[in-house]
Amino acid sequence: MCIRDSFSDRIKGYLPPGKGRDHLYHILNALYNVKPDPVEPDYAGAVQFLRSKIKKRSLVCFFTDLIDPGASGDLLTHLSSLKPEHLPVCLTLRDPAVLALAGQAADDSPSFYEKGIAEHVLAERERALTALRSRGAIAVDVAPEELTAATINQYLEIKARGRL
């Protein structure tokens, strides 16, 4: 069973559960047309919508980012509220530019501040990921090029451990 639901500050799309290769193609086709919105996501509305549509235990994957503590707090609250009825998974993408800035040598004032800000962003991100895990969600943080493999591997691990 697979549901594709995209949202930002509102629900933008929904594809009911289905099986098989044809359904996978419907999902891929629908996702191809999803565009990002520069707005705060409405996690409460998305979780409420999800609860209205899915009645049996499901794996719920959020593909999102942890940009700031406020947005991360909303995600933490609403994603963890899916437990124990569902198994929440949060998949986030590491920003290579932030990692590069955090790893750079600071040899002048601008690079010192850039490095400090990047390290702060990474520390906040790690705190949010740790909080998600401590509340029972699975949190996966990967480089963009690793997302597909990490998603599939996480799913296979969940199935192998009988967590659904």
Side-chain angles (χ1 to χ4, degrees):
M1 177 187 305
C2 189
I3 293 179
R4 197 275 310 168
D5 172 16
S6 63
F7 70 98
S8 58
D9 58 341
R10 61 186 171 74
I11 302 298
K12 294 169 58 176
Y14 173 74
L15 188 63
K19 293 181 183 180
R21 187 177 304 242
D22 286 343
H23 191 64
L24 176 60
Y25 291 133
H26 290 300
I27 293 169
L28 293 173
N29 188 44
L31 287 174
Y32 179 79
N33 295 314
V34 173
K35 304 289 185 250
D37 282 341
V39 296
E40 285 295 321
D42 180 8
Y43 293 112
V47 168
Q48 181 180 15
F49 180 82
L50 180 76
R51 287 185 188 280
S52 74
K53 296 291 184 184
I54 304 173
K55 301 303 180 192
K56 70 181 215 178
R57 183 166 169 80
S58 299
L59 175 66
V60 178
C61 297
F62 278 76
F63 293 87
T64 190
D65 200 3
L66 304 172
I67 295 173
D68 63 54
S72 298
D74 285 347
L75 174 64
L76 290 169
T77 299
H78 299 293
L79 193 65
S80 61
S81 76
L82 290 168
K83 296 270 299 171
E85 297 91 1
H86 303 291
L87 179 58
V89 176
C90 182
L91 297 118
T92 63
L93 297 176
R94 291 184 200 136
D95 186 339
V98 174
L99 289 171
L101 286 172
Q104 76 181 359
D107 51 7
D108 58 20
S109 289
S111 63
F112 176 78
Y113 287 114
E114 288 174 346
K115 180 179 178 73
I117 291 169
E119 288 174 348
H120 176 76
V121 167
L122 293 175
E124 288 293 317
R125 180 182 195 83
E126 191 54 42
R127 274 194 277 286
L129 290 165
T130 299
L132 276 169
R133 291 176 185 123
S134 72
R135 294 181 184 190
I138 296 169
V140 179
D141 187 41
V142 295
E145 63 273 8
E146 299 169 358
L147 181 62
T148 301
T151 303
I152 292 168
N153 289 337
Q154 189 63 62
Y155 172 75
L156 293 173
E157 182 180 329
I158 289 166
K159 292 292 280 183
R161 292 185 178 187
R163 294 193 64 190
L164 280 177

